[in-house]
Amino acid sequence: MPLSEHEQRMLEQMERALYAEDPKFASALEGSGLRTYTRRRVYQAVAGFLVGIALLMAGMVAKQVWLSVVGFLVMLGCAVLAVTGWRKAPKPGEQTGAPPHGRHQGRARRSVMDRIEQRWQRRRDEQQGH
């Protein structure tokens, strides 16, 4: 069930208000900084994984089991962060990141509206199924 015209107008007003009030936050929501953030998070997780390996090896050399266990846990946590960060990262052409304006505004808004409509439809289907 698509959104009514009134709901679409309300959503568009909220989007415009968000862009007018805090354009930096709005562009972050749009995805401009998302790819950079997730890429940085993956790099940090890889660096943490290497630190975990160093702790594991240091624990083995110093015969300190607790240090090896800490190193292993650091490696495990960083591996999970890297994998989840990599999965969440948008594909290079997936999101432009620029706030919609000009002739691209309709296309960007339409994609937002399509996603909202899909979510709305999924929720209604789930509610009818239960």
Side-chain angles (χ1 to χ4, degrees), residues 32-52:
S32 67
L34 184 61
R35 187 172 49 231
T36 305
Y37 170 74
T38 52
R39 186 180 303 139
R40 187 175 351 149
R41 182 175 164 192
V42 169
Y43 290 150
Q44 289 171 347
V46 168
F49 188 84
L50 294 175
V51 168

Side-chain angles (χ1 to χ4, degrees), residues 73-128:
L73 292 176
V74 168
M75 289 170 50
L76 183 65
C78 289
V80 168
L81 282 176
V83 170
T84 58
W86 193 262
R87 281 181 162 174
K88 289 180 184 177
K91 305 293 182 265
E94 196 173 53
Q95 292 179 346
T96 60
H101 58 286
R103 62 186 171 122
H104 299 291
Q105 185 174 11
R107 183 175 50 184
R109 280 227 174 110
R110 178 52 37 203
S111 66
V112 169
M113 292 302 294
D114 289 340
R115 288 193 308 253
I116 291 172
E117 288 176 1
Q118 289 170 357
R119 289 178 189 161
W120 181 261
Q121 187 62 39
R122 256 187 278 141
R123 287 182 187 141
R124 297 199 99 217
D125 293 342
E126 289 173 1
Q127 288 176 353
Q128 290 175 356

